[in-house]
Amino acid sequence: MHNTTVYGIDVAPAKGLCCFTAGCFDSCGHKPERVPNPTARAFEMIEEIENTKIVNSINLLCWDAPLTGPPAVYAERTLRSVRTDKPRVNPFAQRAIERFFSTKDYEHKAPPGISVQPYSGCSHWAITRALVGLPVTGKFDRSTHELPFTLITENTEISSLLPGNYIIEVHPAVAIWLWLKRDSESEDERNSKWKYKGATDTTTRKRNREEIVSKLLEIESISSLIDCNKISKGRIEQELGNSDDKMDAFVAWVLGELWLKGSNEVILLGNADHGSMLLPKSDSLLSKWKDFVDRNTIKLGG
């Protein structure tokens, strides 16, 4: 059994990144730990993780930003013409997994307050490329084998992972919603309670964060994870209540820890062609995702 260290990473172009691991936060430019050059500190933090001794150990970065780009057949221009009746989006603009959580055709359309925008429009795309070389978008990029962190894009047997540095994509906001959403919610509830960052007033954001954190800590698997790592629940409530960046980094860490422990509660949904995210697992999510893929995407290769 390998020693494992999970890092929950919330990355931002202006603030560098916020990292949570082993019960501790490390923030570059996030108040009150603001530093003169948060981007430079972000590079230092990633290099520190990359250079950590990995003898019989696994380092897993759970990264809150898009890590996959267009399928290779598009990027290499080998798929010149495809005749199909299936609707699909431009692979350089939006991945299938983002469209799935944005369409009204399925019950998993994220509510207002949970952003699942096309990856080409994500502001943290550029700094992610600079820090870890992902996503790879074409033949002029470095090969994934040359990058410092091995990208995992499909659910795999944890026991098959060899010692090394790995990276996996997460979407903490969608994960929080999937964990806590209730089918009986009214539309007004769906439209208000998830606004814990961005476009609403400070008081509302803080109140929503506090409510979300309280409910997250009631989930047995998350509560047990905190207890096993001897993390103060009171401190988590305080830190996450005051910062949406820390909330996202913490949830990213939770997802990675549960996944590495083989929990049946978390799954890596998707693949390299459609985009993938580490998310809470449910039968409904899996069946609707399969139906969406069958109806809306073309089969590549073969």
Side-chain angles (χ1 to χ4, degrees):
M1 185 67 183
H2 304 308
N3 296 318
T4 60
T5 303
V6 176
Y7 301 84
I9 305 287
D10 178 74
V11 62
K15 296 182 286 187
L17 59 84
C18 179
C19 174
F20 181 86
T21 189
C24 297
F25 287 100
D26 191 346
S27 303
C28 291
H30 303 256
K31 295 180 180 179
E33 306 92 346
R34 193 172 296 278
V35 296
N37 189 341
T39 304
R41 175 60 186 137
F43 278 97
E44 292 176 1
M45 290 169 65
I46 296 304
E47 288 173 359
E48 288 168 6
I49 298 172
E50 180 187 353
N51 294 328
T52 301
K53 292 182 180 180
I54 55 174
V55 177
N56 200 36
S57 298
I58 289 175
N59 291 324
L60 178 65
L61 270 64
C62 297
W63 198 273
D64 181 14
L67 297 178
T68 61
V73 290
Y74 286 98
E76 295 172 5
R77 296 170 58 191
T78 56
L79 190 65
R80 295 185 179 276
S81 178
V82 176
R83 296 185 62 84
T84 177
D85 294 329
K86 294 181 178 180
R88 69 186 193 280
V89 293
N90 186 315
F92 288 93
Q94 184 182 45
R95 302 175 299 175
I97 199 162
E98 290 150 351
R99 187 176 177 201
F100 173 71
F101 286 111
S102 302
T103 179
K104 294 181 179 179
D105 296 341
Y106 294 85
E107 67 188 51
H108 292 93
K109 182 184 186 301
I114 303 296
S115 174
V116 193
Q117 61 184 331
Y119 77 113
S120 60
C122 291
S123 60
H124 43 7
W125 184 89
I127 189 172
T128 297
R129 283 270 295 173
L131 290 169
V132 295
L134 294 167
V136 171
T137 58
K139 64 182 180 180
F140 299 110
D141 288 351
R142 291 178 64 180
S143 165
T144 54
H145 301 294
E146 300 178 78
L147 298 178
F149 298 93
T150 300
L151 176 61
I152 303 174
T153 57
E154 296 191 43
N155 225 45
T156 184
E157 289 292 330
I158 308 302
S159 58
S160 67
L161 295 180
L162 299 174
N165 291 325
Y166 296 89
I167 189 169
I168 197 167
E169 183 176 335
V170 297
H171 198 307
V174 170
I176 291 169
W177 173 63
L178 290 174
W179 259 318
L180 301 184
K181 76 185 183 77
R182 296 291 182 270
D183 294 335
S184 61
E185 284 180 343
S186 68
E187 187 172 347
D188 287 341
E189 289 176 317
R190 284 169 53 85
N191 290 350
S192 61
K193 67 182 294 184
W194 304 110
K195 295 180 180 180
Y196 68 90
K197 58 174 124 184
T200 188
D201 65 276
T202 303
T203 301
T204 299
R205 289 200 305 268
K206 190 173 190 304
R207 183 180 65 245
N208 287 349
R209 280 196 300 268
E210 290 172 344
E211 180 181 348
I212 288 170
V213 173
S214 177
K215 291 184 177 180
L216 282 175
L217 296 183
E218 291 176 1
I219 297 174
E220 183 177 353
S221 58
I222 297 178
S223 178
S224 297
L225 187 62
I226 292 174
D227 290 340
C228 288
N229 285 272
K230 298 180 180 180
I231 301 171
S232 166
K233 289 184 180 179
R235 179 168 172 264
I236 289 297
E237 289 175 330
Q238 180 180 12
E239 296 272 15
L240 273 55
N242 291 324
S243 170
D244 58 90
D245 303 306
K246 290 185 176 181
M247 176 181 284
D248 287 346
F250 171 76
V251 172
W253 174 82
V254 167
L255 289 164
E257 284 282 354
L258 292 177
W259 185 73
L260 276 183
K261 292 181 186 303
S263 169
N264 194 45
E265 191 174 340
V266 173
I267 190 171
L268 184 58
L269 188 73
N271 57 37
D273 287 337
H274 299 135
S276 63
M277 296 175 183
L278 202 56
L279 295 168
K281 179 182 177 181
S282 71
D283 292 339
S284 173
L285 176 64
L286 294 177
S287 64
K288 294 297 174 59
W289 167 251
K290 183 180 184 303
D291 184 68
F292 172 83
V293 170
D294 290 343
R295 290 174 179 269
N296 294 276
T297 65
I298 60 172
K299 184 177 181 180
L300 301 173

